[in-house]
Amino acid sequence: MSNPAIEIPNVLYRYGMCIDEAKFAEAAALFRHGHIALGEDVQISDPDKIEALWRSMVKTYDCGTSRTRHIITNPIIELADDALSAVVHSCWTVIQQTADFPLQMVASGRYRDEFHVIDGQWWFKEKAYLGIDLQGDMSAHLLGSV
């Protein structure tokens, strides 16, 4: 089996890169064996519905991307005793620049993610968005309000 200290953060980083590149189907595929949690009562587990949610929220540009960088930092990995699951707390910061929007930080917050091993590979079990701690101008990033 792979090294969880490398593989788990790689899944986190792959998620951010897919969102930045507007590869929403690829990002949603990371939840093939899990779900995203929107608050305490809403869970979305169908990858097609997860993809549709992101497409309805995130602006994309003529270049085919969201013109953002999700910088995911400080992953604190709490590996289960059997080394087949983990809880990870991390921070995220989104920076953005478009032709009409100067480079700037648009938001920063926290994730609480659960991971598990399926057939020797790490997958999201749950992604919980813990909220936005710092918020700037998100008008070039999101299609609606937070």
Side-chain angles (χ1 to χ4, degrees):
M1 190 182 334
S2 61
N3 181 342
I6 295 171
E7 294 301 320
I8 292 171
N10 282 349
V11 176
L12 282 170
Y13 305 150
R14 190 170 293 113
Y15 161 82
M17 290 176 68
C18 286
I19 298 296
D20 293 335
E21 295 170 2
K23 294 180 178 177
F24 302 121
E26 286 183 38
L30 298 171
F31 296 87
R32 183 175 303 135
H33 302 288
H35 61 269
I36 61 172
L38 302 173
E40 294 183 24
D41 299 328
V42 179
Q43 295 181 351
I44 304 173
S45 56
D46 180 310
D48 291 335
K49 290 181 180 177
I50 294 171
E51 177 186 356
L53 173 71
W54 289 327
R55 287 192 186 284
S56 74
M57 292 176 55
V58 179
K59 286 186 182 182
T60 57
Y61 292 85
D62 291 340
C63 63
T65 75
S66 62
R67 301 287 304 153
T68 59
R69 288 294 177 269
H70 281 69
I71 302 166
I72 301 171
T73 60
N74 307 356
I76 299 170
I77 301 169
E78 300 167 0
L79 193 63
D81 291 340
D82 64 5
L84 296 175
S85 63
V87 174
V88 179
H89 293 86
S90 61
C91 301
W92 56 267
T93 300
V94 177
I95 60 173
Q96 185 172 34
Q97 180 182 27
T98 73
D100 302 319
F101 191 79
L103 178 64
Q104 60 190 278
M105 183 185 88
V106 296
S108 184
R110 294 164 287 120
Y111 297 134
R112 181 190 179 280
D113 296 307
E114 294 181 31
F115 291 88
H116 55 177
V117 174
I118 306 289
D119 297 328
Q121 183 175 345
W122 285 95
W123 296 90
F124 280 106
K125 181 178 180 182
E126 178 177 272
K127 173 171 277 304
Y129 301 97
L130 298 183
I132 297 172
D133 298 322
L134 305 170
Q135 184 173 332
D137 182 352
M138 296 179 67
S139 64
H141 178 42
L142 298 180
L143 293 168
S145 60
V146 177

